[in-house]
Amino acid sequence: MTLAPYRHVWMNLWVRAPEEQGAELTREVAAALAPLGRVTVVSRGPYRRSPELLAFDVELEPVTSTTDCLLALGFRPDEHGFWPGWERRGDEVFLHPAVVGAQPGEEEAAAPSPFRNGEVVVILDCPAAREEGLVGAEAVVHSSFYPDEPDPLLRRWHHQVLAGGRERLEPFESAELRATGRRGVVVGPSEAVHVARAGVA
């Protein structure tokens, strides 16, 4: 199968180490991942829920498919096709002896999602928008996904959006949305998004 042009693997890493070792660990983790593709590792400092741990973000454009990349890293999908995280047990090591946990994710398609989380969009005239009374409404993108399609080149992006004044997320395809060039603000524990005319509430 032809490799999809857009291939993206990301990981959240948790590392047991003092904060002053963040830069050194960033370099070492990046070096361990370099054979798999173009990689960026960013240290986020102490993890807010467990300050004794450092948090790192990893962005990787693999030279293989995203599935082959995650398999090479030792991850295994569950029965639903999701990639469970890794947590240290005993003497196991993942990328670096100081890593105690990792959570992966991946996207693979002909092109990246045209909309990002937090982006304000207009819902265009389509059957789903007419049914929900949302034609022309502004909404904020909460997530992007593609339905189960084995061939990455055939995957079509869908987006869960929250329209102003609504409490329920609604799914729309990319072609049913238009960008405004503005962003919303995610607030509160329910991750509700409030959008003002200027784009920020």
Side-chain angles (χ1 to χ4, degrees), residues 4 66-67 106-111 146-158:
T66 57
T67 296
E106 54 88 19
E107 293 175 340
E108 186 168 3
Y146 38 75
D148 189 20
E149 164 57 58
D151 185 346
L153 295 174
L154 299 179
R155 291 172 179 162
R156 296 169 59 179
W157 288 101
H158 291 65

Side-chain angles (χ1 to χ4, degrees), residues 86-124:
W86 177 87
E87 188 174 339
R88 171 171 287 156
R89 293 178 182 83
D91 295 330
E92 292 179 329
V93 174
F94 179 76
L95 296 178
H96 188 282
V99 174
V100 297
Q103 183 63 53
E106 54 88 19
E107 293 175 340
E108 186 168 3
S113 167
F115 304 112
R116 290 293 162 198
N117 294 358
E119 191 168 349
V120 179
V121 295
V122 173
I123 302 172
L124 302 177

Side-chain angles (χ1 to χ4, degrees), residues 30-149:
L33 288 167
L36 297 175
R38 188 183 325 171
V39 63
T40 302
V41 181
V42 177
S43 174
R44 297 297 183 193
Y47 181 48
R48 61 182 177 83
R49 292 183 182 173
S50 300
E52 71 278 10
L53 302 178
L54 299 181
F56 292 81
D57 292 343
V58 174
E59 303 285 338
L60 177 61
E61 182 184 329
V63 295
T64 63
S65 71
T66 57
T67 296
D68 287 346
C69 177
L70 289 171
L71 291 172
L73 285 166
F75 294 106
R76 295 294 177 266
D78 63 19
E79 64 273 18
H80 304 293
F82 296 111
W83 297 93
W86 177 87
E87 188 174 339
R88 171 171 287 156
R89 293 178 182 83
D91 295 330
E92 292 179 329
V93 174
F94 179 76
L95 296 178
H96 188 282
V99 174
V100 297
Q103 183 63 53
E106 54 88 19
E107 293 175 340
E108 186 168 3
S113 167
F115 304 112
R116 290 293 162 198
N117 294 358
E119 191 168 349
V120 179
V121 295
V122 173
I123 302 172
L124 302 177
D125 189 354
C126 63
R130 288 194 294 272
E131 183 177 333
E132 295 295 330
L134 291 174
V135 175
E138 287 193 347
V140 176
V141 176
H142 271 240
S143 65
S144 300
F145 64 98
Y146 38 75
D148 189 20
E149 164 57 58

